[in-house]
């Protein structure tokens, strides 16, 4: 037989594009359209419906950036269409290649009832299936003219990312606004041919199945009358019946399709627009559920559910109905799909507390899975948090974006720092926006790495990022792929149904230990420094507010601010979303974030001060309140007292310029360039700084990644570096125990204050940068005289180790990584910590010196970047950072100093000292939260963990009478299988494994 394959395939494409698809709507009449443009921010539905409208014609430009227009679309169904299916085709000016990234609309009836959302891949509204003819049509569209930020030429700087700079130029041109006859037979023929054509393209050319499909498609095309597609569609479909009915091989890969619309809670749009995106998408999905009996849709992020409940109660009613039917599924059990690298221990825990509690309170549904398809890597502390929240599974897709190494598994056990293992799945379809294309389904089957021992994978199906969700076309394709020869099988299932099947078939999956590092988007650890500082400061203010309010409530009856703390926690958790905290959103998002952090900072400070005043009473005794989990200068952790004296600091000039700072423990030499050339540990008789090097070295790199400007830093940035050595001023500080250094470079200026604390082995570095660079990367370097093959990096509820070498491509790919409050490098018996109050990104490298063959291990802190997309003014302005170099530090010292720099002491006068509400005798055990129980019972919650990676025995003492002690999960529910710890009165004794996380409920007598 002659090979005419390409001829038939080309014929299929042209006939589909030019004849069959246009015949889905064989007849149409125009609708009348009028519009009202809201003058500012979006208005309530009632106001939009009642506003006066003016006529607007198809082809007219409309929609200033970020504007809202209310369209009224009216018409009459022609009498001649009686008995037929009629739909309104409402094209606001869409580009079908940009679902979620363009204008969108929500269609309402005149009474305000939502009908469905409009987006580039979902432009129809059903008027009736068997119309009588003569029906009036009256639809109202709340249309959002969101500008396109990420265009066909991506990453170009734009002022469209903030309403304040976006201008008023109309963004769209009104397109088709018609009533049309919908020919379902032709539509079904389109789907038949698409599914078979896409499957055919994925099969080997030499396979018999491919040729069977080709011949069937050829017969179907022969049966189509190009002048009467509708009249011949049924006959054409009959030619495909046999090939569509041929069942899949018993060994076929099995895909659980989950309806999905990954909606970024903010990204290339502001938070307020996400509220509307969620309403549009959920309206679409509840409508699709009503039409498609097998379809199941899952939505994560409790915050987005809460937005629907608060802002669109009429949509919420439909959502609740479909949830009760088991078809609209709450997923993930987190407040938002957060970043997991940077949120602190308690914040990561509260993501699950608030997310799971919302779904439990609203629907009685407990989530067993964490659902994070798009998060930029996963910290090693996360598995125990998932388990402690009562969950046991994790889904993500993003690791498939890694650019250097291919992850070796799709289904596996992920082991965290304490040994907790979580059953984890990476969908091999490699997208969280699956559209049921044959290429996607075939890729999932080919790509699945666990063949032979497992056969199930999951496909999140629907348009996402900006929302939209699953379409009826995707559902129709899935129906054809349910059991089709040559293809993986597809069935709609909930996440729970998938995980149960996957776990049952794969009882001994491989194990991956440690962080799930994304080899991409490393710059998200640095971009938008003020957003990151706002997060860090808010986390620690919340710790203080809970601690002091709980202490005051138990001691004095102070009214514990349950509702305020709940609201503020949710606000902080929202801003940990994986495009807000990472700094990858538009300018509008970060402008609002800065204002939000400022506001909640003021609120939390007010709570703290009121609680401390209630505790201290009125008096003249000078008090220091210590909110850190370790004693400080004689003031106990979680208490207040008068600090003990701790010695003096001397400052003298060096002979060749610069200064020497000395206390009883440390001598620091700062040369005339303002660089630290010596940091000598007097007690250990040990130099910290590598010979021939200098610390406190600011280094500037060019920073223009190949793509994803705010997200990425590519390794070649290291090829060019400028050491900032010129000093404009170096003078003693006003306190006589510090040195002030001023530098200028390019259009920017840096002012640093270096100081020693009396009696402390710690060099403090306060840095102020007035930053006006473009596409530059600023680092602060500490070259250390240490030989170390690994270093410790703090993560949630502990730390883990990364190598300092690059033996493998996996190690080399981690050239920029995340830490929380400290990085610690150690030789046996002596180490150094670098601690910070607000930075996350860093790198650690090692070289061998030619002079003495010693090893220099250099820790560099990432301070600032200046990408131009999506915010062209990223990080411009004044920034302040605090770091400390701690020579001779053990890992315990690193933990302590990290807390200290983030929880500065608070001073006030009062009547008496304040004893801690809860104390732990063992220094290795860190209390991360002391608070009142969320249920309002007045019980005290104490959460703590072993912080050094060893085993320990700890005694926890409550400064109140304890009636009962109950181990709980993060949601403060009793753990049925947990042993009750030994306790006598108010003393509780426990043994902890390395990094073990414990939550105790202390019932007050």
């Amino acid at each position: 037989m002659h090979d005419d394959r390409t001829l038939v395939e080309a014929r299929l494409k042209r006939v589909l594009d030019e004849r069959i698809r246009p015949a889905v709507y064989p007849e149409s009449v125009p609708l009348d359209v009028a519009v009202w443009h809201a003058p500012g921010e979006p208005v309530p539905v009632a106001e939009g419906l009642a506003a006066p409208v003016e006529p607007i014609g198809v082809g007219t430009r409309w929609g200033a950036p970020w504007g809202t227009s209310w369209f009224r679309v009216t018409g009459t169904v022609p009498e001649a269409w009686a008995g037929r299916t009629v739909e309104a085709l409402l094209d606001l000016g869409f580009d079908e290649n940009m679902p979620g990234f363009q204008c969108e609309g929500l269609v309402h009836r005149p009474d305000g009832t939502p009908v469905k959302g409009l987006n580039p891949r979902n432009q129809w509204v059903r008027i009736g299936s068997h119309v009588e003819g003569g029906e009036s049509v009256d639809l109202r569209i709340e249309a959002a003219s969101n500008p396109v930020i990420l265009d066909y030429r991506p990453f170009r700087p734009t002022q469209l990312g903030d309403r304040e700079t976006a201008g008023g130029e109309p963004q769209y041109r009104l397109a088709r606004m018609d009533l049309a006859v919908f020919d379902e037979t032709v539509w079904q023929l389109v789907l038949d041919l698409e599914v078979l054509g896409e499957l055919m393209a994925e099969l080997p050319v030499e396979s018999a199945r491919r040729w069977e499909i080709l011949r069937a498609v050829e017969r179907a095309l022969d049966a189509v009358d190009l002048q009467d597609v509708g009249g011949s569609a049924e006959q054409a479909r009959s030619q495909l019946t046999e090939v569509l009915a041929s069942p899949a091989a018993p060994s076929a890969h099995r895909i659980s399709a989950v309806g999905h619309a990954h909606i970024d809670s903010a990204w290339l749009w502001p938070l307020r627009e996400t509220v509307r995106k969620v309403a549009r998408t959920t309206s679409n999905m509840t409508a699709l559920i009503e039409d498609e009996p097998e379809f199941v849709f899952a939505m994560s992020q409790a915050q987005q559910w809460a937005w629907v409940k608060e802002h669109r109660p009429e949509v919420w009613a439909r959502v609740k109905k479909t949830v009760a039917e088991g078809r609209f599924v709450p997923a993930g059990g987190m407040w938002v799909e957060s970043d997991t690298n940077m949120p602190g221990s308690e914040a990561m825990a509260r993501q699950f507390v608030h997310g799971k509690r919302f779904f439990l309170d609203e629907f009685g549904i407990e989530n067993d899975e964490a659902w994070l398809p798009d998060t930029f890597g996963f910290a090693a502390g996360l598995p125990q948090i998932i388990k402690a929240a009562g969950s046991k599974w994790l889904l993500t897709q993003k690791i498939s974006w890694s650019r250097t190494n291919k992850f070796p598994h799709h289904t596996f056990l992920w082991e965290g720092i304490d040994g907790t293992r979580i059953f984890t799945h990476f969908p091999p379809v490699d997208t969280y926006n699956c559209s049921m294309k044959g290429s996607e389904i075939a890729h999932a089957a080919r790509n699945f790495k666990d063949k032979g021992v497992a056969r199930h994978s999951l496909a999140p199906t629907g348009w996402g990022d900006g929302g939209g969700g699953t379409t009826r076309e995707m559902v129709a394709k899935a129906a054809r792929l349910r059991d089709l020869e040559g293809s993986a099988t597809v069935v709609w299932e909930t996440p729970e149904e998938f995980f149960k099947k996957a776990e049952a078939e794969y009882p001994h999956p491989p194990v991956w230990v440690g962080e799930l590092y994304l080899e991409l988007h490393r710059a998200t650890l640095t971009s938008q420094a003020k957003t990151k500082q706002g997060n860090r400061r808010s986390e620690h203010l919340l710790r203080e507010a809970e601690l002091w309010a709980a202490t005051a409530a138990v001691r004095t009856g102070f009214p514990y601010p349950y509702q305020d703390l709940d609201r503020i926690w949710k606000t902080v958790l929202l801003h940990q979303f994986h495009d807000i905290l990472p700094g990858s959103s538009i300018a509008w998002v970060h402008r609002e974030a800065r204002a939000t952090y400022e506001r909640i900072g003021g609120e939390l400070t007010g709570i703290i001060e009121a609680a401390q005043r209630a505790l201290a009473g009125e008096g003249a005794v000078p008090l220091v309140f210590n909110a850190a989990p370790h004693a400080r200068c004689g003031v106990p952790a979680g208490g207040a007292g008068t600090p003990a004296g701790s010695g003096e600091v001397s400052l003298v000039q060096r002979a060749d310029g610069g200064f020497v700072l000395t206390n009883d423990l440390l001598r620091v030499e700062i040369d005339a360039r303002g660089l630290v050339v010596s940091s000598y540990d007097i007690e250990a008789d040990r130099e910290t700084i590598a010979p021939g090097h200098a610390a406190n070295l600011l280094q500037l790199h060019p920073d223009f990644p190949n793509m994803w400007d705010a997200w990425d830093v590519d390794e070649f940035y290291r090829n060019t570096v400028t050491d900032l050595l010129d000093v404009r001023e170096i003078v003693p500080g006003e306190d006589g125990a510090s040195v002030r250094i001023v530098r200028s470079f390019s259009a920017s200026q840096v002012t640093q204050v270096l100081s020693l604390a009396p009696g402390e082995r710690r060099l403090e570095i306060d840095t102020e940068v007035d930053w006006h660079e473009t596409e530059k990367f600023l680092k602060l370097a500490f070259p250390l005289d240490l030989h170390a093959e690994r270093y410790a990096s703090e993560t949630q509820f502990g730390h883990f180790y990364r190598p300092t070498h690059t033996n493998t491509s996996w190690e080399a790919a981690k050239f920029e990584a995340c830490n929380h409050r400290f990085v610690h490098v150690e030789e046996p018996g002596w180490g150094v910590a670098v601690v910070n109050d607000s930075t996350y990104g860093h790198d650690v490298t090692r070289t061998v010196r030619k002079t003495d063959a010693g090893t220099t291990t250099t820790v560099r802190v990432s301070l600032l970047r200046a990408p131009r997309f999506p915010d062209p003014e990223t990080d411009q302005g004044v920034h302040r950072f605090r770091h400390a170099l701690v020579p001779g530090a053990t890992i315990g010292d690193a933990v302590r100093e990290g807390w200290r720099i983030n929880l500065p002491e608070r001073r006030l006068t009062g009547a008496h000292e304040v004893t801690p509400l809860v104390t732990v005798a063992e220094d290795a055990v860190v209390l991360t939260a002391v608070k009142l129980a969320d249920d309002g019972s007045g019980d005290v919650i104490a959460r703590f963990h072993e912080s050094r990676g060893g085993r320990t025995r700890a005694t926890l003492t409550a400064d109140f009478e304890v009636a009962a002690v109950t181990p709980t999960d993060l949601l403060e529910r009793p753990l049925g299988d947990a042993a009750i710890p030994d306790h006598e009165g108010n003393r509780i004794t426990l043994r902890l494994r390395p990094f073990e996380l414990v939550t105790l409920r202390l019932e007050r007598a």
Side-chain angles (χ1 to χ4, degrees):
M1 180 181 290
H2 297 297
D3 185 352
D4 61 350
R5 176 175 50 84
T6 58
L7 186 69
V8 177
E9 290 170 355
R11 181 187 178 195
L12 171 61
K13 183 180 186 309
R14 185 176 186 194
V15 172
L16 264 175
D17 287 346
E18 298 184 23
R19 290 294 187 272
I20 302 179
R21 288 195 185 97
V24 171
Y25 293 104
E27 300 176 55
S28 63
V29 295
L31 289 160
D32 295 321
V33 187
V35 67
W36 173 70
H37 302 295
E41 283 292 277
V43 300
V45 171
E47 185 177 342
L49 293 172
V53 294
E54 296 181 353
I56 183 173
V58 167
T60 302
R61 296 183 69 197
W62 71 279
W66 307 112
T68 301
S69 298
W70 281 85
F71 290 95
R72 179 175 180 177
V73 183
T74 56
T76 303
V77 177
E79 300 284 353
W81 294 358
R84 305 175 78 175
T85 299
V86 176
E87 293 183 344
L89 301 181
L90 308 173
D91 186 345
L92 299 172
F94 297 126
D95 178 341
E96 68 172 16
N97 295 316
M98 291 189 175
F101 295 90
Q102 280 212 326
C103 57
E104 300 171 42
L106 180 56
V107 180
H108 299 79
R109 303 195 190 284
D111 64 0
T113 303
V115 179
K116 67 188 294 287
L118 297 177
N119 64 62
R121 294 297 182 98
N122 210 324
Q123 303 177 21
W124 57 274
V125 175
R126 180 64 58 90
I127 302 301
S129 296
H130 299 282
V131 299
E132 296 179 359
E135 293 95 334
S136 294
V137 175
D138 189 349
L139 301 173
R140 316 297 174 87
I141 308 168
E142 180 192 20
S145 50
N146 302 330
V148 175
I149 306 293
L150 191 65
D151 213 331
Y152 290 103
R153 291 178 58 195
F155 316 122
R156 290 182 299 172
T158 175
Q159 296 294 331
L160 290 171
D162 195 331
R163 183 159 193 159
E164 293 183 354
T165 59
E169 186 72 16
Q171 299 291 295
Y172 298 99
R173 192 177 299 276
L174 197 63
R176 187 175 188 181
M177 290 277 166
D178 289 346
L179 278 181
V181 171
F182 174 70
D183 190 325
E184 184 167 356
T185 304
V186 175
W187 182 78
Q188 296 284 5
L189 175 60
V190 169
L191 274 299
D192 290 344
L193 291 170
E194 284 186 355
V195 166
L196 290 171
E198 290 167 3
L199 172 59
M200 182 170 58
E202 298 299 323
L203 294 170
V205 173
E206 64 274 11
S207 73
R209 176 63 171 166
R210 179 162 183 161
W211 288 90
E212 288 173 359
I213 294 173
L214 185 82
R215 293 302 161 216
V217 166
E218 184 177 40
R219 292 191 299 272
L221 294 176
D222 289 341
V224 174
D225 182 344
L226 299 183
Q227 277 66 53
D228 184 14
V229 174
S232 57
E234 194 62 56
Q235 176 60 28
R237 291 196 73 201
S238 70
Q239 302 301 315
L240 304 173
T241 302
E242 186 174 342
V243 289
L244 284 168
S246 183
S251 60
H253 184 67
R254 298 175 182 178
I255 293 177
S256 298
V258 178
H260 187 239
H262 169 70
I263 303 178
D264 288 311
S265 289
W267 180 27
L268 304 180
W269 45 86
L271 288 166
R272 66 87 155 146
E273 191 55 33
T274 312
V275 175
R276 302 200 295 174
K277 283 177 174 286
V278 175
R280 293 188 283 261
T281 298
T282 52
S283 294
N284 261 351
M285 295 304 94
T286 53
L288 191 61
I289 285 169
E290 291 175 1
D291 294 339
E292 301 291 347
E294 295 187 351
F295 175 61
V296 175
F297 181 77
M299 190 170 88
S300 66
Q301 306 192 75
Q303 171 68 88
Q304 295 187 1
W305 293 71
W307 279 335
V308 178
K309 180 181 179 182
E310 178 183 357
H311 296 282
R312 295 293 170 110
E314 67 283 5
V315 178
W316 179 249
R318 292 167 58 177
V319 168
K320 288 192 70 173
K321 176 178 179 294
T322 48
V323 170
E325 296 167 357
R327 308 273 305 285
F328 199 125
V329 182
M334 295 176 68
W335 191 247
V336 294
E337 289 181 13
S338 74
D339 179 81
T340 74
N341 287 313
M342 292 176 281
S345 303
E346 274 304 308
M348 201 73 254
R350 305 300 175 96
Q351 286 285 353
F352 288 90
V353 169
H354 287 282
K356 295 195 77 167
R357 189 172 286 148
F358 181 89
F359 293 141
L360 283 164
D361 290 347
E362 295 293 336
F363 308 113
I365 290 175
E366 172 95 13
N367 293 106
D368 286 327
E369 76 289 333
W371 184 273
L372 292 163
D374 190 30
T375 295
F376 308 153
F378 299 87
L382 187 57
Q384 65 175 330
I385 298 173
I386 295 173
K387 180 181 178 182
S391 298
K392 56 186 178 181
W393 302 316
L394 169 66
L395 178 133
T396 184
Q397 181 272 322
K398 200 67 172 188
I399 299 298
S400 70
W401 285 43
S402 286
R403 293 295 173 84
T404 306
N405 299 284
K406 191 76 171 175
F407 198 82
H409 318 296
H410 281 108
T411 303
F412 59 99
L413 294 176
W414 178 28
E415 182 177 318
I417 58 174
D418 75 325
T420 296
R421 292 180 174 182
I422 295 296
F423 189 84
T424 302
H425 181 66
F426 292 171
V429 71
D430 278 352
T431 177
Y432 46 80
N433 295 324
C434 177
S435 62
M436 284 293 136
K437 284 183 180 177
S439 57
E440 295 170 336
I441 302 305
H443 175 75
R446 284 195 301 264
N447 189 40
F448 188 58
K449 294 186 179 301
D450 303 295
K451 298 182 187 74
V453 288
R455 67 194 327 182
H456 281 84
S457 72
L458 186 145
T461 302
W463 300 117
D465 290 316
T470 318
T471 65
R472 62 182 178 184
E473 288 78 14
M474 296 174 194
V475 176
K477 284 188 171 186
R480 288 159 173 79
L481 296 170
R482 186 178 185 90
D483 190 14
L484 182 61
E485 183 185 354
S487 171
T489 65
V490 177
V491 61
W492 295 104
E493 290 188 308
T494 66
E496 180 184 22
E497 289 169 332
F498 161 75
F499 273 109
K500 284 183 175 178
K501 288 181 179 179
E503 206 170 27
E505 75 172 1
Y506 206 4
H508 303 293
V511 178
W512 181 270
V513 178
E515 67 181 328
L516 293 170
Y517 179 91
L518 177 63
E519 297 170 351
L520 193 72
H521 293 358
R522 302 168 181 89
T524 57
L525 303 174
T526 306
S527 297
Q528 297 287 0
K530 288 185 179 177
T531 298
K532 291 171 171 57
Q533 289 180 324
N535 173 74
R536 180 76 72 84
R537 179 169 181 261
S538 297
E539 289 180 351
H540 288 84
L541 285 172
L542 276 161
R543 170 194 170 81
E544 286 194 83
E546 290 182 338
L547 169 65
W548 301 125
T551 306
V554 173
R555 298 273 171 71
T556 73
F558 178 82
Y560 191 80
Y562 291 101
Q563 293 182 345
D564 289 338
L565 290 172
D566 179 82
R567 171 179 50 81
I568 294 171
W569 262 118
K570 288 173 179 174
T571 301
V572 172
L573 299 178
L574 167 60
H575 286 79
Q576 291 177 342
F577 178 75
H578 66 251
D579 276 307
I580 304 179
L581 180 54
S584 47
S585 288
I586 56 174
W588 190 342
V589 173
H590 293 289
R591 172 172 57 81
E592 288 190 332
R594 291 191 293 271
T596 298
Y597 285 131
E598 186 69 23
R599 185 186 72 250
I600 63 176
E603 287 190 72
L604 289 169
T605 299
I607 293 171
I608 292 165
E609 291 176 348
Q612 289 179 340
R613 175 51 57 205
L615 286 165
E618 297 297 331
V621 178
L623 296 174
V624 168
F625 277 79
N626 175 21
H630 307 93
R632 180 186 298 174
C633 298
V635 179
T642 302
S646 53
E648 297 180 351
V649 176
S650 70
L651 173 66
V652 299
Q653 285 193 309
R654 294 174 82 236
D656 54 353
F659 298 90
V660 179
L661 284 166
T662 308
N663 65 16
D664 293 340
L665 301 173
L666 203 61
R667 184 178 71 248
V668 176
E669 294 191 38
I670 303 162
D671 71 5
R673 301 169 298 172
L675 303 180
V676 176
V677 293
S678 174
S679 180
Y680 192 75
D681 182 346
I682 297 170
E683 186 178 36
D685 189 22
R686 173 75 183 254
E687 177 57 63
T688 306
I689 310 303
H693 292 75
N696 190 43
L697 174 63
L698 289 161
Q699 296 183 303
L700 194 65
H701 296 270
D703 183 19
F704 188 61
N706 288 343
M707 57 195 307
W708 298 109
D709 295 41
W711 295 255
D712 284 358
V713 57
D714 291 332
E715 191 172 13
F716 55 73
Y717 89 91
R718 291 178 168 182
N719 297 347
T720 306
V721 60
T722 301
D723 293 344
L724 302 180
L725 303 177
D726 293 340
V727 62
R728 203 175 82 190
E729 179 180 273
I730 176 168
V731 296
E734 294 180 358
D735 59 359
S738 63
V739 177
R740 183 173 179 269
I741 304 152
V742 181
R743 306 180 192 279
S744 296
F745 59 95
S746 185
S748 302
Q749 177 173 293
V750 177
T751 302
Q752 291 186 299
V753 176
L754 277 59
S755 59
L756 283 185
E760 300 287 348
R761 197 166 47 214
R762 175 179 71 241
L763 173 65
E764 298 184 355
I765 304 169
D766 291 1
T767 303
E768 178 180 290
V769 187
D770 190 2
W771 180 248
H772 298 283
E773 304 303 304
T774 298
E775 294 165 352
K776 294 290 193 293
F777 195 6
L778 184 64
K779 292 262 188 175
L780 181 63
F782 299 89
L784 308 175
D785 190 12
L786 279 167
H787 178 81
E789 294 185 356
R790 66 178 189 173
Y791 72 94
S793 176
E794 190 185 30
T795 189
Q796 293 99 1
F797 297 112
H799 61 268
F800 69 105
Y801 292 94
R802 296 189 185 96
T804 60
H805 56 74
T806 55
N807 283 355
T808 71
S809 59
W810 294 87
E811 292 153 355
K814 296 182 180 182
F815 60 83
E816 184 79 4
C818 182
N819 69 288
H820 286 189
R821 289 167 293 225
F822 70 80
V823 166
H824 182 256
V825 188
E826 187 175 30
E827 290 178 3
W830 195 85
V832 177
V834 177
V835 300
N836 72 84
D837 78 334
S838 60
T839 54
Y840 296 92
H842 70 277
D843 66 84
V844 179
T845 55
R846 66 199 299 268
T847 58
V848 175
R849 302 186 292 271
K850 292 181 180 179
T851 54
D852 62 356
T855 301
T856 298
T857 301
T858 302
V859 176
R860 296 200 309 164
V861 176
S862 302
L863 296 182
L864 289 165
R865 299 183 69 237
R868 301 183 66 205
F869 182 88
D871 176 4
E873 303 296 324
T874 301
D875 280 333
Q876 300 300 298
V878 177
H879 303 268
R880 294 177 177 85
F881 306 97
R882 297 179 67 224
H883 294 86
L885 179 69
V886 190
T890 64
I891 195 71
D893 294 329
V895 173
R896 182 185 302 105
E897 292 296 332
W899 279 101
R900 181 204 59 78
I901 199 170
N902 282 274
L903 284 168
E905 56 197 31
R906 295 178 182 271
R907 296 176 179 269
L908 70 157
T909 58
H912 49 75
E913 295 186 347
V914 178
T915 56
L917 187 64
V918 177
T919 57
V920 179
E922 171 53 54
D923 214 32
V925 177
V926 170
L927 278 163
T928 61
V930 175
K931 58 189 287 292
L932 294 194
D934 291 342
D935 60 9
S937 63
D939 294 347
V940 174
I941 300 296
R943 183 153 35 249
F944 49 93
H945 70 285
E946 196 286 321
S947 67
R948 299 180 186 176
R951 293 179 181 271
T952 190
R953 184 175 184 271
T955 299
L956 183 145
T957 304
D959 193 39
F960 55 89
E961 190 175 345
V962 177
V965 179
T966 306
T968 74
D969 65 7
L970 295 179
L971 276 71
E972 302 168 10
R973 302 175 299 189
L975 291 173
D977 58 350
I980 302 298
D982 295 335
H983 76 102
E984 295 181 8
N986 63 345
R987 292 170 58 85
I988 301 126
T989 304
L990 308 96
R991 295 183 183 273
L992 276 73
R993 302 185 311 274
F995 301 127
E996 183 176 359
L997 169 63
V998 176
T999 305
L1000 295 181
R1001 177 188 284 265
L1002 309 178
E1003 183 182 339
R1004 291 158 59 195

